[in-house]
Amino acid sequence: MTMLAVPTPITEPPPDTERTPRPAPIPPAPPATGSNAPALTRLHLPRDTPFPTEHLLRARGRLPLKHPDRDVLRARAVEDNLPLANRLAWRYAGRGERYDDLRQVAALALVKAVDGYDPNRTTPFVSYAAPTIIGALKRHFRDTAWAMRVPRAVQELLLEIPAATEHLTQLRGRAPTSAELAGHLHVAIDLLWAAVSAGQVYRLPSLNESVTGHDSAELIDLTGAVDPRYGAIDDHLTLGVLVSALPPRQRRILTMRFSEEMTQARIGAELGISQMHVSRLLREALAQLRAGLRN
């Protein structure tokens, strides 16, 4: 005789157990009037009780502008969403900026999002705050993270180069040429080179950075040298004083010979003297100048 198994009846839970718990209501606050306005600590928001940010900001919006509880609700909304700001900041970590700096940028953007959110709209606060924080992080990298001011178009192109290079390398089985990379990105090759060069100035090395990994040699020791033209400046200034002390005819001969590049014969014809006389006056003037420079 075949026995049929009787299925165990499924007992449905009571309706109350399937209900999603509702967030705790925000305690009401009496209005603050005159000198008897209550202190900030009057509105008590338990830390272990979750309050949706939309409810906090909606309650804040119903209070008068100078009501002290507005600051309490604002601070709680910021504190509750700091983990969101930190997670968004972590996405941009490892790109040359300290994580602590990125957290500060994200936190300031969160405060602006709390102040700018319209609680009367049905948009969730996260949908409004996340783009605000991400936009602030991107502006931080664009405007303050670079050591030198680089056009925005060049910065955006620089961010596209690594992904495009990896894609073309997998597609062709080799590293792409500059022309292939520029064609893939639909930019001129000069703009591509400008973006690659800009990537080298994102972080400028310190002049006190060690060259070999030891403290003995720093970059400043290998950068720059004494300009040899400094000595030429001293000679030029000294020579100007010595030339002004020469007789006018010798100064004229020096000008015609070295500035106007005239021959001695032509100089003699201009001054009405012989070439030998010009040569003698020129030798005397040069000898006097050399003696003055040596002294």
Side-chain angles (χ1 to χ4, degrees), residues 179-203:
E180 293 172 344
L181 192 58
H184 179 75
L185 295 173
H186 305 288
V187 297
I189 192 169
D190 293 340
L191 183 58
L192 177 68
W193 290 340
V196 174
S197 300
Q200 300 176 0
V201 299
Y202 183 79
R203 278 288 180 269

Side-chain angles (χ1 to χ4, degrees), residues 52-55 57-58 113 116-132:
T53 304
E54 296 83 1
H55 292 189
L57 297 181
R58 195 171 295 118
Y117 178 72
D118 185 2
N120 296 322
R121 304 183 65 177
T122 58
T123 304
F125 176 76
V126 175
S127 301
Y128 175 80
T132 302

